Amino acid sequence: MSDLERLSTTSWERSDRLFLEMGKLDRTPTGFRLSGTALYRGRGGPTSATYLVETDASRRSRSVRIEVDEPTGLRTLALHADDEGRWHSADGPLDLPFPCEDVDLAVTPATNGLTIRRLDLAVGAEATARVLWIQVPSFGVRAVEQGYQRIDRDTYRYKGRYGSYKLTVDANGMVLDYPGGGWRSVAHKVSRRVP
């Protein structure tokens, strides 16, 4: 018997290039788990990126694992955070200017939903999140600040390093439309809303 409770499942496509992704948000005994796989045409040919992000009960991202399978081979990045939001690899702590409570993977819109869930903003409220931003497939990592404003029940304004966009989300914060990256949900299911 699984210890996961499925909350939301969706698939996305992109309007600007060949891309298809499926992502899932589950509740675990200790927090939440976001996982998914994106299939796309990378610079070297057919590429898949599989990710897993886990949070604690306070919805802070605590670990991330990404596997990128390209024609040249398979590469993996695994990072974890301590209680202060400092991130570490197997080689030791990352040199970042500030602690980060969230993770944003450049290959998917789904990770924005984890930040939205953690912030839990009232309509009209806004906040700045300190985020570990990870470029895929290069695995470049940096600490960035991202702004979120809740416009209405299902809409947020996101402000990041590449612009400002309106995101629409489901009842569990899973991003459905992210026009800044051309992502659009093409199939979606909410099993149960969890506050």
Side-chain angles (χ1 to χ4, degrees), residues 40 42-48 67-75 137-138:
Y40 58 97
R43 292 183 181 156
T47 301
S48 69
E67 291 185 348
V68 175
D69 195 352
E70 301 174 291
T72 55
L74 179 69
R75 295 179 306 111
S138 70

Side-chain angles (χ1 to χ4, degrees), residues 107-126:
V107 73
T108 178
T111 46
N112 293 93
L114 293 177
T115 306
I116 286 169
R117 285 187 62 80
R118 184 184 63 77
L119 292 173
D120 194 24
L121 297 172
V123 172
E126 57 186 299

